[in-house]
Amino acid sequence: MINKVVLVGRLVRDPELKKSAGGYSVCNFTIACDRRGSVQNKQADFINCIVWRQGADFLTQYGAKGMLTGLTGSIQTRSYTDNTGRTVYVTEVLCDEIRLLEYKDKKQTPKKQEQPKQSSYDDAMQQWQAMDNDYAAALGRDDYTDQQAQRVAGIDLNSLPF
């Protein structure tokens, strides 16, 4: 049997972290996925999703309303009885993997300002981009390769037998 779901859409609201009775992190969220069709009749499906443990922590820390998100998982159904005694059936996607496909707007204020600033996803991405830019600039210099080899290996290139 195959039960595999792949979705790309936008978060409908800011994700909220909750803890289960067993102490596990859990996040219920909704993702809006555009339907195929003409531009004039643009429609979207609003799909309920659930993610547990590290995925829930990741999504609530870095995700925000409107962010383009990709996920894989499986469809699950469940039912419960509400306060009026009526049986309610729920269909949702149980997420295995979640990827944020765009960055937060740099002008956006942090969601939780009371926490001390730690090394964040955006900071890491900025550092990586700065290193990438330095590397790209260095490739334009003819002596880059020789200087890097000497610095990394700590050897004199002229002393090599080849």
Side-chain angles (χ1 to χ4, degrees):
M1 304 290 173
I2 298 174
N3 183 357
K4 186 75 168 177
V5 176
V6 178
L7 298 172
V8 175
R10 297 201 177 270
L11 294 174
V12 173
R13 62 184 135 332
D14 286 343
E16 293 181 24
L17 185 67
K18 296 179 184 176
K19 294 289 184 177
S20 70
Y24 297 110
S25 299
V26 62
C27 179
N28 291 304
F29 62 99
T30 304
I31 189 168
C33 298
D34 291 336
R35 288 185 184 175
R36 291 186 188 192
S38 66
V39 177
Q40 293 86 9
N41 297 329
K42 196 168 194 176
Q43 295 178 334
D45 292 307
F46 295 86
I47 302 167
N48 295 323
C49 303
I50 186 169
V51 63
W52 290 85
R53 296 184 172 94
Q54 292 89 359
D57 295 332
F58 170 79
L59 187 62
T60 55
Q61 184 174 2
Y62 298 113
K65 177 182 178 180
M67 289 185 71
L68 190 63
T69 305
L71 61 90
T72 62
S74 58
I75 294 177
Q76 73 176 12
T77 58
R78 59 185 171 89
S79 64
Y80 64 92
T81 305
D82 67 5
N83 296 339
T84 63
R86 190 180 68 168
T87 302
V88 177
Y89 297 95
V90 178
T91 301
E92 58 197 359
V93 175
L94 177 60
C95 299
D96 296 326
E97 293 182 69
I98 294 184
R99 298 285 186 259
L100 299 175
L101 303 177
E102 65 185 4
Y103 304 112
K104 288 183 185 178
D105 184 4
K106 301 296 181 207
K107 297 177 185 175
Q108 183 180 10
T109 58
K111 293 191 291 185
K112 300 172 182 147
Q113 293 190 11
E114 67 275 0
Q115 295 178 350
K117 182 167 173 48
Q118 298 176 352
S119 178
S120 70
Y121 177 78
D122 291 335
D123 293 340
M125 288 306 298
Q126 287 175 351
Q127 289 174 356
W128 178 81
Q129 288 172 346
M131 289 187 324
D132 192 43
N133 291 341
D134 291 344
Y135 176 72
L139 285 177
R141 298 194 320 251
D142 292 336
D143 61 343
Y144 172 75
T145 306
D146 291 342
Q147 289 177 359
Q148 276 302 100
Q150 287 175 342
R151 248 186 278 154
V152 172
I155 59 172
D156 180 17
L157 292 179
N158 297 327
S159 67
L160 295 176
F162 49 88

